[in-house]
Amino acid sequence: MSAGLLQQELRSRARHLSAFFVLGDPTPRISLDVMLAAVDAGATMLELGLPYNAPCADGPAIQAASRRALAAGTTTDVALELVAILRDARPELPLNLLVYANLVHSRGPREFCRDFATAGASSLLVPDVLLEEGEELRAICLDHGLDSVQLVGPRTPTPRLAAIDAACTGFLYLAALQGVTGSDPDHAGETQGAMQRLREVCANPICLGFGLRSVDDVARAFASGARIAVVGSELARTIGEASASGRDPRDAVAARCRALAVALTAS
Amino acid sequence: MNPRFGVFDRYGGRFVSELLAPALEALASAVDELLASPDFRRRLRRELRTWAGRPTPLTHVPRFSDRCRLDVHLKREDLLHGGAHKTNNVVGQALLAKELGKRRLIAETGAGQHGVATAMAGARQGLAVVVYMGAVDAARQRPNVDRMRLCGAEVRLVESGGATLKEAIDEALRDWVQSVDDTHYVLGTVCGPDPYPRFVAELQRVIGDEARAQILRATGSLPDAIAACVGGGSNSLGLFRAFLVDDVVIFGVEAAGRDTRTGGHGMTLQHGRPGLLHGARSYVLQGNDGQIGDTHSIAAGLDYPGVGPEHAMLHDRGRVRYVGANDAEALAAFDALTRDEGILPALESSHALAFAMNAVERGQLRAGQRLLVNLSGRGDKDLATVIGSRRP
């Protein structure tokens, strides 16, 4: 089913720590260094968000990251260049794109998928397109060798989970909480229940994100059956604080990633 | 990326996160059920009549008509409880929220009229209310902020971006995804994911149904043309829907703001292109990459980079002619109606009146034609802006 290299890339290890960054945060140049530093410090996968000025699924930390990136001139073309450079630098690294629908729509879904697949992206997650609205886009992804990643929530009904799994070629991304990115995970029981339902009905690898901050959160994600754990808002906050206080965001992000990567080897 | 849900030709859909899918599904079922229920229709009509003051009158305005060289009639939504057409929608949605067992209402507001209507209906139904409002809008529509708070609503100011209606909707959607168990999102216009555009239009259609019967009674025939201002598009669609199959020319008036060349406007249909914003495919004011555009209008309710998907359809089909009125023209129309007829129109509605004042000169209507204008709201909220604009 897989359109591209993603499943193969994912198979390279049992667990992945995925670091989410808004491309171009705080500037395109520094962003590139920050992402490479995260990988050198232990992130085994990257999730790359295109900055957007109406990010309705994101909390304050990633909204601020988007604002920084846009203010620094990160256009879709600049994001494309960053992806190409990352791919050259790390040929085996899974690169999942997270892009709001209007940015895909604006470039034209066909052009968007072609350009980012050519640049070296592995897969695409569009957080604001429902299963039913995404059929055409998923077909275009397949045509261009981009796997499609599907978001599900802790309250997605089981039959719908199965339908989404069937439409997905990359991995299923479970939001660990019913909320926006970076929120406090206050429904831990609900997440565990959803993980169990996913494990029962889904064939694709499971990724857990939204609200994961600490090495304990990441370890718990793996223990509950996730193959991929995503940390995003925490890293965006780290970049924001470092930039605001004149420290090097590369060092700050590398330190965070080194601490989080401990969960990859913990039993 | 053509939509599958709530389709208006190539527009509409449910472009939201999967986390909202169950809530929208439940909402859509409830909407279908309630709209088909004679009992719900009865309760809605009773509440609109006894609490909100429907039907609103149709007013002939001879002095303003002379000024326009037209025969102008106004549908008086400014006289609806709360001071604008927004109450039509909110009464229906509050009843729906009770049916769904929700305890809390959230709303976005631009001009504050939708926030006021939601605060009032929440008080009436015993539901908690939180209203998101851009900080810029709250500053220029201060009386409405006070009215919301007096009704017991919490007003949360949104500081991000342009701090106007678009940001308020962003924030309301973020609240809703977290609070969906006990909260109904009372969207204030015909935008948003399905089922909102069709539900809100259906609730606002009472404007057009009444106006059509009233003008037939008053004049013996349908008007030559009808006009309403278009921000998100709910007062206009409420009027237009009753006249779509008639031989009546329909004008939607967008905010031409300060300057249509530099982007200081809200002319989404005339200067935007199709995109995906706030859950639907429609026209969107946006940059080359799809970043949502900045807007400006002296009327907070028209200061929005999106528009309802049904308007996008009507625009493409050519059924409605979308035109513009700028800030200065709206202010002039505010003065004219106030002096000529003793009616203070909202600055949003003043855009539709500005169209009336200029239509003959611009060749959009012929002298002597009969025009029905929806006076969507009253202007008390705008006094500071109007008086401020006169200072040297």
Side-chain angles (χ1 to χ4, degrees):
Chain A
M1 268 309 274
S2 178
L5 296 171
L6 182 71
Q7 300 278 3
Q8 196 180 320
E9 289 167 345
L10 290 179
R11 268 199 296 277
S12 67
R13 30 175 92 240
R15 296 168 169 179
H16 282 276
L17 170 63
S18 181
F20 170 89
F21 296 102
V22 172
L23 287 162
D25 175 29
T27 69
R29 190 126 221 105
I30 300 175
S31 162
L32 193 60
D33 292 345
V34 165
M35 292 186 283
L36 290 170
V39 175
D40 290 339
T44 63
M45 174 169 177
L46 289 178
E47 189 165 280
L48 308 172
L50 259 64
Y52 185 48
N53 67 355
C56 289
D58 285 308
I62 293 176
Q63 290 173 45
S66 262
R67 278 197 295 275
R68 289 191 295 268
L70 289 171
T74 312
T75 59
T76 299
D77 284 339
V78 169
L80 199 56
E81 268 177 63
L82 291 175
V83 171
I85 298 170
L86 277 171
R87 176 48 80 210
D88 273 351
R90 296 290 185 280
E92 314 274 299
L93 193 71
L95 298 176
N96 178 44
L97 293 173
L98 193 149
V99 189
Y100 282 94
N102 198 46
L103 302 180
V104 179
H105 184 276
S106 175
R107 197 175 182 90
R110 213 158 267 292
E111 292 71 15
F112 189 96
C113 291
R114 183 198 61 209
D115 293 348
F116 277 89
T118 306
S122 318
S123 55
L124 174 65
L125 167 58
V126 181
D128 50 349
V129 172
L130 291 187
L131 172 70
E132 294 83 352
E133 305 285 15
E135 195 177 326
E136 181 193 343
L137 181 60
R138 288 192 298 274
I140 293 171
C141 281
L142 266 179
D143 284 351
H144 291 90
L146 270 185
D147 277 304
S148 64
V149 171
Q150 299 290 315
L151 181 69
V152 296
R155 299 177 197 172
T156 307
T158 305
R160 191 169 173 87
L161 281 181
I164 293 172
D165 183 56
C168 165
T169 64
F171 54 85
L172 283 171
Y173 189 127
L174 172 64
L177 50 89
Q178 180 72 29
V180 294
T181 57
S183 305
D184 287 320
D186 52 357
H187 294 291
E190 197 175 35
T191 309
Q192 291 304 316
M195 277 299 292
Q196 182 157 355
R197 291 190 294 123
L198 254 78
R199 286 201 311 268
E200 282 164 12
V201 301
C202 298
N204 284 290
I206 302 167
C207 164
L208 194 66
F210 282 37
L212 273 59
R213 293 168 195 174
S214 66
V215 64
D216 288 347
D217 294 337
V218 173
R220 261 197 300 277
F222 291 141
S224 69
R227 287 273 312 279
I228 304 163
V230 186
V231 176
S233 296
E234 182 65 18
L235 299 177
R237 204 161 23 240
T238 303
I239 293 173
E241 284 168 6
S243 304
S245 64
R247 284 178 292 125
D248 190 333
R250 285 169 295 198
D251 298 340
V253 164
R256 293 297 299 134
C257 288
R258 256 192 301 280
L260 294 165
V262 171
L264 286 168
T265 48
S267 55
Chain B
M1 293 169 83
N2 291 329
R4 294 289 172 86
F5 292 106
V7 175
F8 298 97
D9 289 348
R10 297 165 61 230
Y11 304 102
R14 281 185 204 159
F15 291 94
V16 295
S17 150
E18 193 64 42
L19 275 62
L20 283 175
L24 289 174
E25 192 59 52
L27 189 60
S29 310
V31 163
D32 291 341
E33 202 175 304
L34 287 181
L35 288 179
S37 152
D39 177 58
F40 176 76
R41 294 272 189 184
R42 242 189 328 270
R43 282 189 292 145
L44 180 61
R45 269 199 305 275
R46 191 188 319 126
E47 190 71 354
L48 287 174
R49 194 179 66 244
T50 63
W51 183 70
R54 294 219 77 88
T56 60
L58 184 78
T59 303
H60 186 228
V61 283
R63 281 158 54 84
F64 184 73
S65 292
D66 286 349
R67 183 193 288 275
C68 301
R69 289 188 283 150
L70 294 166
D71 179 27
V72 181
H73 296 252
L74 302 179
K75 178 60 175 164
R76 300 292 305 280
E77 293 302 291
D78 61 316
L79 294 178
L80 189 64
H81 182 47
H85 70 288
K86 295 292 188 185
T87 306
N88 298 321
N89 169 34
V90 168
V91 167
Q93 291 210 41
L95 290 176
L96 168 99
K98 296 278 272 192
E99 287 298 318
L100 288 168
K102 307 291 183 184
R103 295 194 310 271
R104 177 174 175 264
L105 302 177
I106 55 171
E108 84 292 341
T109 198
Q113 291 298 148
H114 177 59
V116 166
T118 306
M120 288 173 166
R124 166 96 169 153
Q125 301 290 342
L127 299 165
V129 175
V130 171
V131 179
Y132 289 93
M133 187 170 193
V136 167
D137 288 342
R140 58 177 162 170
Q141 309 278 219
R142 185 75 219 178
N144 277 344
V145 176
D146 293 336
R147 292 163 80 203
M148 288 181 248
R149 288 183 172 145
L150 287 168
C151 287
E154 181 191 340
V155 181
R156 294 189 186 163
L157 300 186
V158 183
E159 307 274 356
S160 60
T164 56
L165 183 54
K166 176 239 165 209
E167 288 77 22
I169 298 180
D170 290 350
E171 212 50 41
L173 284 168
R174 291 185 187 114
D175 180 310
W176 198 38
V177 74
Q178 304 173 55
S179 62
V180 72
D181 278 351
D182 70 345
T183 298
H184 173 65
Y185 179 16
V186 188
L187 221 157
T189 188
V190 289
C191 297
D194 177 74
Y196 284 106
R198 58 190 166 98
F199 187 40
V200 176
E202 191 59 28
L203 291 170
Q204 292 292 4
R205 192 193 156 116
V206 66
I207 301 171
D209 286 339
E210 280 180 11
R212 192 175 184 283
Q214 286 167 324
I215 199 149
L216 278 172
R217 208 157 44 232
T219 70
S221 62
L222 289 172
D224 298 300
I226 62 175
C229 63
V230 181
S234 71
N235 91 79
S236 49
L237 210 49
L239 179 70
F240 296 172
R241 268 198 169 192
F243 292 88
L244 288 174
V245 297
D246 294 325
D247 184 18
V248 168
V249 184
I250 306 180
F251 291 94
V253 186
E254 295 190 301
R258 278 186 294 254
D259 187 342
T260 54
R261 283 163 301 132
T262 59
H265 62 85
M267 298 172 88
T268 306
L269 288 160
Q270 294 165 82
H271 290 278
R273 60 190 168 90
L276 304 165
L277 175 65
H278 294 146
R281 184 173 195 275
S282 185
Y283 278 74
V284 178
L285 286 171
Q286 54 188 321
N288 290 338
D289 277 354
Q291 301 294 341
I292 306 306
D294 293 329
T295 53
H296 163 80
S297 171
I298 195 166
L302 307 183
D303 195 348
Y304 180 58
V307 67
E310 191 168 348
H311 280 290
M313 177 185 82
L314 294 170
H315 174 68
D316 282 10
R317 287 185 178 184
R319 178 63 190 95
V320 177
R321 278 185 66 189
Y322 293 91
V323 296
N326 66 28
D327 289 356
E329 290 164 350
L331 284 166
F334 176 100
D335 281 342
L337 192 73
T338 305
R339 292 294 187 92
D340 289 351
E341 305 288 347
I343 298 171
L344 274 72
L347 283 175
E348 289 76 14
S349 323
S350 298
H351 285 71
L353 299 167
F355 161 76
M357 283 170 61
N358 297 308
V360 172
E361 190 184 326
R362 290 178 185 167
Q364 292 155 327
L365 291 172
R366 291 190 310 280
Q369 284 194 305
R370 181 171 300 138
L371 173 69
L372 167 62
V373 175
N374 193 26
L375 193 67
S376 55
R378 71 183 188 208
D380 307 51
K381 68 187 177 61
D382 296 315
L383 295 188
T385 304
V386 170
I387 292 164
S389 74
R390 298 207 172 114
R391 291 206 187 96

